Amino acid sequence: MANDASTVFDLVILGGGSGGYAAALRASQLGLDVALIEKDKVGGTCLHYGCIPTKALLHAGEIADQARESAEFGVRATFEGIDMAAVHKYKDGVISGLYKGLQGLIASRKITYVEGEGRLSSPTSVDVNGQRYEGRHILLATGSTPKSLPGLEIDGNRIINSNHALTLDRVPESVIILGGGVIGCEFASAWRSFGTDVTIVEGLPHLVPAEDENSSKLLERAFRKRGIKFSLGSFFEKAEYTENGVKVTLANGKEYEAELLLVAIGRGPVSQGLGYEEAGVAMDRGYVLVDEYCRTNVPTISAVGDLIPTLQLAHVGFAEGILVAERLAGLDVVPIDYDGVPRVTYSHPEVASVGLTEAKAKEVYGADKVVTLKYNLGGNGRSKILKTQGEIKLVQVRDGAVVGVHMVGDRMGEQVGEAQLIYNWEALPAEVAQLIHAHPTQNEALGEAHLALAGKPLHSHD
């Protein structure tokens, strides 16, 4: 194959999702000559099939709930139903605007953008569209795809994945969601707001099992109030078609029937058949293995995003892509503290966190060295106005820094920015308590929680 360029690129990136395009933008900013290869659309899963479209659906659901509940606020309104064609028009408009902006940004940085399915052909080259792109360094950023289970065929008809769910042309009457993690809970929340009868099946003991147990229990309580049903602690055994839908059988013998089954058990890396093994890249269960600087065992190859076994979050991909670009440009870089990454489940209510769970903190520091505090949003004026319930839970090393912030309640995702500063700057409760938080805001609840942990509570009990 002939090289498409007369010179070798400084960086050839395979995959234009969050990690890949972030690396491309930062590398070009630092003066590197970059080629970015993407088989679908730049922006990847997050922009087109994940973060952005799901949050648009969730916001549409929020509007539906507000219409139903308007009388509680003295507003006369009627809810007449969901127009899915109009919902998709709104969702796709959001995506389209961001997509065009991203395309323009890449063009303005003079990045060589190649649309086509690429394959790693050597430790320093990628083949795509019959051309070979040579690079002094290669970045693998091919992302992830929805997973399934052995014997469970996702047909896009009655058994669907998250990609299918985002383009569904109707509001289903009933849905079983296999998986109670972030993806499952977000779809459960949106569909319930649209009027669907929802049952979540989660094999582990709690919903959002990666979160602090207190957050999981608060979400479960809120979901019960909303009429979202869930089965915990028993794993999936089989699914079969019925006359009008799908029947799911669990290992404990329980059976559930619904119109649709959404398989939301997570996402797996896209790495098969792309030449990684042939180039000598170390892998495990499909993931590309890297060190703390996102370097593989092959000196000329790095990898970022969902392809590596780190948190599958778009903002983690951004950070990893930037880290690689800056490292290649010769800047001093600091490894990412993955515990310090903010995490949000955008359900109603939202679950937001950063840092260690109470259980993890006790494992790291010892049970006798860990202090926790819970601040109920019932004491927060803005939360009362919004009619949301929940808590902020702080995890502290005794006489030391706050090492975990866990929040449940509507709009808590908007508070996680300050929470990550508290964790990452190793703030003491007394230091945060000195900061003045605007009143009345939900952000004020973070300040109140730290006031209480510092021994001087205001709108909360000792």
Side-chain angles (χ1 to χ4, degrees):
M1 290 187 180
N3 193 344
D4 188 57
S6 57
T7 58
V8 176
F9 290 94
D10 294 313
L11 178 60
V12 174
I13 302 170
L14 182 54
S18 300
Y21 86 70
L25 292 173
R26 184 62 177 134
S28 66
Q29 194 176 54
L30 292 169
L32 302 185
D33 191 17
V34 181
L36 178 62
I37 298 163
E38 169 56 46
K39 69 177 182 179
D40 189 2
K41 295 176 181 177
V42 67
T45 294
C46 172
L47 177 53
H48 301 285
Y49 313 107
C51 319
I52 300 301
T54 54
K55 278 45 170 187
L57 291 184
L58 283 158
H59 185 61
E62 181 183 356
I63 299 299
D65 288 333
Q66 288 176 344
R68 290 188 190 94
E69 298 161 6
S70 62
E72 295 181 22
F73 303 90
V75 177
R76 294 178 181 175
T78 56
F79 174 72
E80 296 181 7
I82 303 294
D83 179 347
M84 281 309 298
V87 170
H88 287 312
K89 182 180 179 181
Y90 151 68
K91 166 180 67 71
D92 294 342
V94 173
I95 295 168
S96 177
L98 292 170
Y99 179 43
K100 288 175 182 175
L102 182 55
Q103 287 175 305
L105 192 57
I106 287 170
S108 72
R109 296 282 175 85
K110 296 182 172 55
I111 294 165
T112 300
Y113 181 69
V114 184
E115 191 170 312
E117 189 162 354
R119 186 179 190 277
L120 187 67
S121 48
S122 81
T124 56
S125 64
V126 174
D127 292 349
V128 58
N129 299 336
Q131 297 286 342
R132 175 158 292 169
Y133 293 82
E134 295 279 351
R136 294 183 179 86
H137 202 88
I138 305 293
L139 176 60
L140 307 178
T142 44
S144 63
T145 191
K147 289 197 297 188
S148 187
L149 293 170
L152 179 57
E153 182 184 351
I154 297 175
D155 55 21
N157 181 14
R158 299 186 197 176
I159 303 176
I160 64 175
N161 62 26
S162 57
N163 289 358
H164 303 124
L166 287 170
T167 57
L168 207 60
D169 62 359
R170 67 191 188 283
V171 176
E173 288 189 13
S174 58
V175 175
I176 298 166
I177 298 177
L178 181 58
V182 173
I183 298 170
C185 285
E186 289 188 350
F187 274 106
S189 189
W191 270 327
R192 186 60 189 147
S193 295
F194 289 168
T196 301
D197 182 64
V198 178
T199 302
I200 304 170
V201 172
E202 171 55 56
L204 296 175
H206 290 290
L207 297 179
V208 287
E211 295 292 339
D212 189 270
E213 187 174 322
N214 185 66
S215 295
S216 296
K217 289 179 177 178
L218 288 169
L219 181 65
E220 289 160 13
R221 184 188 306 165
F223 271 16
R224 285 190 198 99
K225 288 183 178 179
R226 294 188 60 198
I228 297 173
K229 299 182 287 292
F230 46 88
S231 168
L232 304 173
S234 184
F235 287 96
F236 168 87
E237 188 169 274
K238 65 177 180 178
E240 52 195 324
Y241 271 24
T242 63
E243 184 177 349
N244 299 310
V246 181
K247 180 169 74 173
V248 170
T249 304
L250 304 186
N252 62 7
K254 288 185 178 179
E255 296 179 342
Y256 298 92
E257 293 192 30
E259 178 185 337
L260 294 175
L261 168 62
L262 169 65
V263 181
I265 57 169
R267 300 179 64 87
V270 175
S271 58
Q272 288 296 311
L274 295 177
Y276 297 171
E277 294 96 333
E278 292 87 335
V281 176
M283 302 180 69
D284 179 35
R285 296 171 294 118
Y287 290 100
V288 171
L289 299 179
V290 296
D291 66 8
E292 67 270 31
Y293 295 101
C294 297
R295 298 177 296 201
T296 72
N297 62 309
V298 179
T300 55
I301 300 177
S302 297
V304 298
D306 289 0
L307 181 63
I308 65 176
T310 55
L311 292 171
Q312 290 186 334
L313 298 168
H315 44 288
V316 167
F318 294 149
E320 291 169 343
I322 291 168
L323 184 151
V324 169
E326 293 184 346
R327 172 169 57 79
L328 294 177
L331 302 184
D332 289 332
V333 294
V334 178
I336 296 167
D337 176 3
Y338 290 98
D339 287 328
V341 172
R343 308 172 293 272
V344 185
T345 302
Y346 294 87
S347 51
H348 168 41
E350 292 182 353
V351 179
S353 64
V354 65
L356 307 182
T357 64
E358 179 181 352
K360 182 66 175 177
K362 287 179 176 177
E363 182 183 317
V364 172
Y365 297 103
D368 61 330
K369 296 289 194 297
V370 173
V371 176
T372 64
L373 179 134
K374 298 176 185 177
Y375 177 83
N376 194 297
L377 293 183
N380 177 253
R382 184 66 173 162
S383 295
K384 293 285 276 189
I385 290 166
L386 296 171
K387 286 187 174 289
T388 187
Q389 297 178 333
E391 282 181 358
I392 293 178
K393 176 179 176 179
L394 304 179
V395 180
Q396 179 200 13
V397 177
R398 188 180 299 278
D399 300 323
V402 173
V403 296
V405 181
H406 306 277
M407 304 178 285
V408 177
D410 290 341
R411 306 188 185 182
M412 285 297 105
E414 303 302 324
Q415 312 312 317
V416 82
E418 182 182 0
Q420 74 149 330
L421 294 179
I422 292 167
Y423 170 86
N424 285 294
W425 285 348
E426 300 178 351
L428 302 175
E431 292 171 331
V432 181
Q434 285 183 308
L435 303 175
I436 298 173
H437 294 74
H439 174 79
T441 62
Q442 287 186 290
N443 181 238
E444 185 182 16
L446 262 178
E448 293 267 3
H450 285 83
L451 278 166
L453 192 55
K456 47 180 182 181
L458 188 59
H459 296 102
S460 61
H461 297 286
D462 289 298

